Amino acid sequence: MTILKEKLPVGLCSDHAGFELKGIIEGYLESKGISYKDFGTFSTESCDYPDFAHPCAAAVEAGEVYPAIAICGTGNGIAMTLNKHQGIRAALCWKPELVALAREHNNANVLVLPGRFIEPEVALECVDVFFSTEFEGRRHELRIEKIPVKQC
Ligand code: RB5
């Protein structure tokens, strides 16, 4: 079972604190033959996570990438930024059990990882679970439909 969509790359974004883990995840995706689009950052030079999170979120909303993975030091700043987009359900996770529930109950379309607080092996387990766990729908469908802020 996979949530990956044929012909749609996975979106990736990070700030400097997530740059190294983003590279590890890219290597993992390449080893599995999974295509991705990297929205940056592209070095460890200090930068601002919104500059990379907003384009990545917009690409998920536009159906250009699906799903996406985002990383900053704690995961909080980049998750806050992504979740400003009405079509984004970004879930900050640091263990596979959280990832499974974020998919099953929340239909998370962006996995957010805390680059400074997660071991690479655990992060890759999280990625596997993210890709392989389906949304349960049913009562959760009604709940996630209520998440977006309605325009008046
Ligand atoms: C960068 O130092 C750090 O503030 C950032 O990666 C993130 O943790 C913010 O939420």
Side-chain angles (χ1 to χ4, degrees):
M1 191 64 80
T2 180
I3 67 162
L4 298 176
K5 296 190 187 213
E6 213 182 335
K7 297 188 182 138
L8 269 195
V10 171
L12 290 170
C13 65
S14 78
D15 70 356
H16 54 287
F19 173 74
E20 190 182 342
L21 181 55
K22 176 162 65 66
I24 291 169
I25 291 171
E26 286 175 353
Y28 185 66
L29 297 184
E30 284 163 24
S31 77
K32 301 253 175 200
I34 298 170
S35 63
Y36 61 83
K37 180 167 180 186
D38 187 348
F39 291 86
T41 188
F42 299 105
S43 79
T44 53
E45 190 182 335
S46 183
C47 62
D48 304 328
Y49 47 81
D51 294 343
F52 310 99
H54 282 306
C56 185
V60 173
E61 288 183 308
E64 293 163 9
V65 298
Y66 180 87
I69 300 170
I71 312 155
C72 70
T74 60
N76 277 318
I78 209 160
M80 289 175 188
T81 308
L82 292 158
N83 280 319
K84 291 291 179 190
H85 292 249
Q86 296 299 301
I88 296 299
R89 290 177 301 280
L92 172 56
C93 300
W94 54 93
K95 56 203 289 191
E97 293 87 343
L98 291 172
V99 181
L101 287 166
R103 286 287 316 133
E104 289 168 358
H105 290 191
N106 311 119
N107 200 10
N109 52 12
V110 186
L111 170 63
V112 181
L113 297 168
R116 288 178 172 154
F117 296 90
I118 191 167
E119 294 301 323
E121 314 83 65
V122 178
L124 295 181
E125 276 180 55
C126 287
V127 169
D128 277 339
V129 171
F130 185 52
F131 289 165
S132 62
T133 309
E134 292 287 342
F135 178 45
E136 282 181 6
R138 297 177 286 122
R139 68 186 186 282
H140 301 296
E141 183 78 55
L142 301 175
R143 292 170 186 166
I144 68 168
E145 276 173 11
K146 291 184 179 180
I147 293 176
V149 177
K150 301 279 185 271
Q151 302 298 323
C152 299

